[in-house]
């Protein structure tokens, strides 16, 4: 970690991510819309539109990110965050609500690979020869620390002014945008992409079994770990936790995620398979334990889930960047997010219905049952991972030429995801 901190680009990037990954909005966005006078049905419909926009935009936004370059994409992400959250403070009508939520959905899709691919390529060209694993572990931990602090402060900001959580998010993103302007371009030769070259790059990537394998593991872990979060608030309500204790529950989850990100930075190539196996098993064990002993869930088992999920997703971020050729890196993350997003869109409402019609414990155990299948599907992919299989087909990227990997001129997150 100290080596990563010695790199100025990585330090600036980590600070920028801290500013962009705050989640002051997360605990209060629904309350905010209700306080503005919107019916619950309208708020839920807006959330549904948001989810649809995210899934629809993942692939085209990922493709656009690969074409315009890493630095430009990252700056667009920061500027879009400023615009989106400033717009949320100005919502006055149903049309403004839905328009802003559509904008938010596009921004959310952009976060799938913007930060991850840019960070990886910054490490690749850094003169200090920074280990991507350590840089990703550091940045993931910093991002989770940002989430932790913002979740703790969100309620207090909302009590001062209901627009303040969103205004502070926009203001911090503006500072992040200014910092991002100081980040370097990716120093690789400019190759003008044509539609045929883009299609050829996509076909080559799709034919690479290593990319398919790592992508499949990413889809499974995102679907498995992210969907379960819909049960956190029902669990708190079922246990009769106060608002303060519910906030502490989320804080404990975020704190464990910080540790998971840091731990991923110390996972060497020879230990990636056991680390990924541990990540899936920790999420599964936490689901089973919470279903059996729900009163221990908020402050013991859910943090265990957060640790495992952060560990696994960070390791997979590094692996995805390593095995995917530069011209389609952002698109690869878009594909992973799109496929997992389709499953999440089905799983989350289903789990909510199970928690309402039966109990939260029942829903946790039901998802654990699905988790047994998920782990079974993940095991073959994990077993086939090889420490040396971390470069695109053809070995290390050489000079760009006919048939070789192309690159963009400017060299592309949280998502929070």
């Amino acid at each position: 970690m100290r080596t990563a901190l010695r790199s100025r680009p990585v330090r600036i990037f980590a600070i920028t991510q801290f500013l962009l990954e705050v989640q002051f909005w997360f605990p209060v966005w629904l309350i905010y819309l209700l306080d503005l006078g919107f019916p619950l049905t309208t708020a839920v419909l807006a959330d549904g539109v948001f989810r649809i926009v995210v899934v629809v935009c993942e692939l085209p936004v990922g493709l656009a990110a690969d074409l315009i370059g890493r630095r430009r994409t990252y700056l667009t992400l920061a500027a879009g965050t400023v615009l989106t959250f400033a717009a949320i403070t100005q919502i006055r009508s149903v049309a403004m609500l839905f328009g802003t939520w559509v904008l938010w959905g596009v921004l959310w899709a952009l976060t799938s690979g913007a930060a991850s691919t840019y960070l990886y390529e910054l490490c690749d060209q850094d003169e200090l020869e920074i280990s991507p694993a350590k840089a990703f572990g550091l940045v993931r931990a910093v991002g989770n620390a940002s989430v932790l602090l913002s979740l703790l402060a969100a309620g207090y900001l909302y009590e001062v002014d209901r627009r303040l959580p969103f205004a502070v998010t926009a203001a911090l993103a503006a500072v992040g945008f200014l910092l991002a302007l100081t980040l370097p371009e990716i120093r690789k030769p400019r190759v003008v992409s044509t539609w045929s070259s883009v299609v050829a790059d996509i076909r080559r990537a799709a034919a690479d079994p290593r990319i398919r394998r790592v992508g499949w593991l990413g889809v499974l872990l995102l679907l498995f770990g992210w969907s379960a979060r819909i049960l956190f608030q029902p669990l708190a309500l079922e246990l009769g936790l106060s608002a303060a204790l519910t906030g502490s529950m989320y804080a404990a989850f975020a704190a464990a995620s910080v540790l998971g990100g840091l731990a991923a930075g110390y996972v060497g190539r020879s230990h990636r398979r056991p680390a990924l196996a541990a990540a899936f098993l920790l999420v599964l064990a936490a689901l089973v334990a919470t279903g059996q002993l729900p009163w221990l869930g908020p402050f013991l088992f859910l943090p265990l889930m957060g640790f495992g999920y952060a560990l696994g997703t960070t390791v997979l971020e590094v692996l995805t960047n390593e095995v995917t050729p530069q011209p389609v890196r952002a698109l690869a993350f878009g594909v992973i997010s799109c496929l997992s997003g389709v499953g999440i869109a089905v799983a989350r409402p289903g789990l909510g219905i199970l928690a309402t019609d039966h109990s939260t414990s029942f829903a946790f155990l039901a998802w654990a049952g699905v988790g047994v299948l998920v782990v079974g599907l993940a095991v073959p992919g994990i077993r086939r991972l090889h420490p040396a299989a971390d470069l695109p087909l053809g070995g290390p990227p050489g000079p760009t030429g006919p048939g070789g990997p192309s690159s963009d001129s400017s060299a592309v997150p949280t998502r929070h995801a």
Side-chain angles (χ1 to χ4, degrees), residues 121-144:
E121 292 176 23
L122 284 175
C123 293
D124 191 41
Q125 73 174 17
D126 194 279
E127 294 177 356
L128 295 178
E129 298 183 352
I130 302 300
S131 161
K134 294 206 179 330
F136 272 77
L138 171 66
V139 171
R140 176 57 65 91
V142 167
N144 284 321

Side-chain angles (χ1 to χ4, degrees), residues 352-371:
I353 291 171
L354 286 177
T356 301
D357 292 349
H358 298 278
S359 68
T360 307
S361 296
F362 181 85
F364 270 104
L365 291 174
W367 193 237
V370 174

Side-chain angles (χ1 to χ4, degrees), residues 83-94:
L83 177 62
T84 299
F85 285 93
I88 291 175
T89 67
Q90 302 303 311
I91 290 175
R92 298 291 184 272
S93 65
V94 172

Side-chain angles (χ1 to χ4, degrees), residues 61-361:
V61 165
L63 180 60
D66 283 320
L67 291 174
I68 70 173
R70 307 308 181 208
R71 185 171 181 271
R72 292 192 188 100
T73 301
Y74 194 62
L75 290 172
T76 301
L77 170 63
T81 303
V82 177
L83 177 62
T84 299
F85 285 93
I88 291 175
T89 67
Q90 302 303 311
I91 290 175
R92 298 291 184 272
S93 65
V94 172
M96 289 181 66
L97 167 62
F98 279 86
T100 303
W101 255 238
V102 168
L103 176 62
W104 199 357
V106 176
L107 177 71
W108 193 276
L110 184 61
T111 64
S112 294
S116 177
T117 51
Y118 190 24
L119 176 61
Y120 182 80
E121 292 176 23
L122 284 175
C123 293
D124 191 41
Q125 73 174 17
D126 194 279
E127 294 177 356
L128 295 178
E129 298 183 352
I130 302 300
S131 161
K134 294 206 179 330
F136 272 77
L138 171 66
V139 171
R140 176 57 65 91
V142 167
N144 284 321
S146 173
V147 172
L148 169 60
L149 295 175
S150 56
L151 288 177
L152 291 174
Y156 298 102
L157 292 176
Y158 194 82
E159 288 178 359
V160 175
D161 188 297
R162 64 190 181 191
R163 295 171 297 179
L164 198 54
F166 309 98
V168 171
T169 300
L172 292 177
V175 177
F177 175 80
L178 295 176
L179 278 175
L181 288 173
T182 69
L183 289 169
E185 303 276 1
I186 299 300
R187 301 187 303 269
K188 290 204 173 181
R190 171 67 171 174
V191 173
V192 178
S193 297
T194 63
W195 179 247
S196 60
S197 69
V198 170
V199 172
D201 287 332
I202 293 173
R203 285 177 175 171
R204 279 194 293 270
D208 187 340
R210 288 168 295 180
I211 297 176
R212 294 200 305 267
R213 189 175 302 130
V214 173
W216 175 238
L217 291 174
V219 170
L220 290 175
L221 187 55
L222 283 173
L223 170 62
F224 189 31
W226 188 264
S227 298
R229 297 189 190 194
I230 194 67
L231 297 174
F232 287 14
Q233 289 193 33
L235 176 64
L237 292 172
E238 196 171 278
L239 294 175
L241 301 184
S242 65
L245 282 175
T246 301
S248 299
M249 175 184 74
Y250 279 100
F253 182 88
S257 299
V258 171
L259 297 177
L262 288 172
Y266 293 96
V267 175
R269 290 179 177 176
S270 61
H271 296 99
R272 284 170 173 173
R273 283 182 292 187
L276 287 174
F280 278 95
L281 291 175
L282 283 172
V283 175
L284 178 59
L287 289 169
V288 173
T290 304
Q292 294 290 342
L293 300 169
W295 56 279
L296 286 176
F299 300 104
L300 180 58
F301 303 135
L302 297 189
L304 185 69
M305 180 190 299
F307 178 89
Y309 182 76
L311 171 67
T313 51
T314 306
V315 171
L316 284 172
E317 268 192 296
V318 177
L319 271 169
T320 303
N321 277 289
E322 286 180 346
V323 301
T324 308
Q326 186 192 38
V328 291
R329 276 198 182 118
L331 179 60
F333 281 98
V335 172
I336 292 169
S337 296
C338 180
L339 294 177
S340 61
V342 172
I344 290 169
V346 175
R348 283 170 67 93
L351 289 173
I353 291 171
L354 286 177
T356 301
D357 292 349
H358 298 278
S359 68
T360 307
S361 296

